[in-house]
């Protein structure tokens, strides 16, 4: 049973993807490669305009309290649909506790606004970070493209 699950979850999906990539003289592979080159050229041009999550970085985060987060980025040539923003919460920088996606809300004066609501539902000592990563519907996994930026 475990082998069948693994085959269905991974091998069959990868085989179907391989068939699509080979179609039309590898048109899909060329499209992905072109996109990766364009994003790689402009990735370092992303500018962080503002980050708001907690009132002060040293504030305590209360259990059962919801917090509003906002990240404003100048993406320059990159479309907001091709960027993901995510809050990462760890306990004492060792154990992953939670991830929370920021949703694209609007473009405001050429800047992309992403927002989230974060609910702390656990007691403890936590650290958090916000990361930005490229997104494309043709990438099956985030690990297929090594760009990442912590803000």
């Amino acid at each position: 049973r475990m082998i069948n699950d693994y085959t269905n979850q991974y091998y069959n999906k990868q085989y179907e993807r391989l068939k699509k990539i080979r179609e039309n003289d590898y048109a899909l592979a060329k499209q992905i490669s072109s996109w990766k080159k364009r994003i790689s050229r402009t990735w370092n041009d992303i500018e962080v305009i503002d980050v708001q999550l907690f009132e002060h970085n040293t504030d305590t985060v209360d259990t059962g309290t919801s917090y509003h987060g906002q990240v404003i980025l100048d993406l320059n040539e990159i479309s907001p649909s091709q960027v993901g923003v995510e809050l990462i919460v760890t306990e004492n920088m060792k154990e992953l506790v939670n991830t929370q996606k920021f949703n694209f809300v609007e473009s405001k004066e050429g800047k992309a606004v992403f927002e989230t609501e974060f609910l702390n539902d656990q007691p403890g000592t936590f650290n958090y970070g916000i990361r930005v990563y490229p997104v494309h519907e043709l990438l099956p996994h985030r690990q297929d493209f090594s760009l990442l930026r912590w803000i």
Side-chain angles (χ1 to χ4, degrees), residues 53-62 67 120 124 126-128:
L53 186 57
F54 305 113
E55 202 167 309
H56 302 12
N57 288 338
T58 58
D59 282 355
T60 58
V61 178
D62 298 327
Y67 295 89
N120 178 36
F126 303 106
N127 301 93
Y128 72 93

Side-chain angles (χ1 to χ4, degrees), residues 67-108:
Y67 295 89
H68 178 76
Q70 183 181 71
V71 173
I72 301 174
L73 302 173
D74 184 346
L75 298 173
N76 291 301
E77 299 176 29
I78 301 174
S79 166
S81 66
Q82 296 179 340
V83 172
V85 180
E86 185 175 50
L87 171 69
I88 305 299
V89 181
T90 63
E91 186 164 13
N92 296 317
M93 298 185 74
K94 293 180 184 173
E95 184 178 330
L96 179 66
V97 173
N98 194 1
T99 60
Q100 180 73 39
K101 183 180 182 219
F102 283 74
N103 297 306
F104 172 68
V105 177
E106 65 178 332
S107 284
K108 189 179 190 179

Side-chain angles (χ1 to χ4, degrees), residues 113-132:
V113 179
F114 297 85
E115 294 182 346
T116 193
E117 293 295 323
F118 170 67
L119 174 66
N120 178 36
D121 59 357
Q122 299 181 44
T125 304
F126 303 106
N127 301 93
Y128 72 93
I130 299 172
R131 62 185 173 194
V132 179

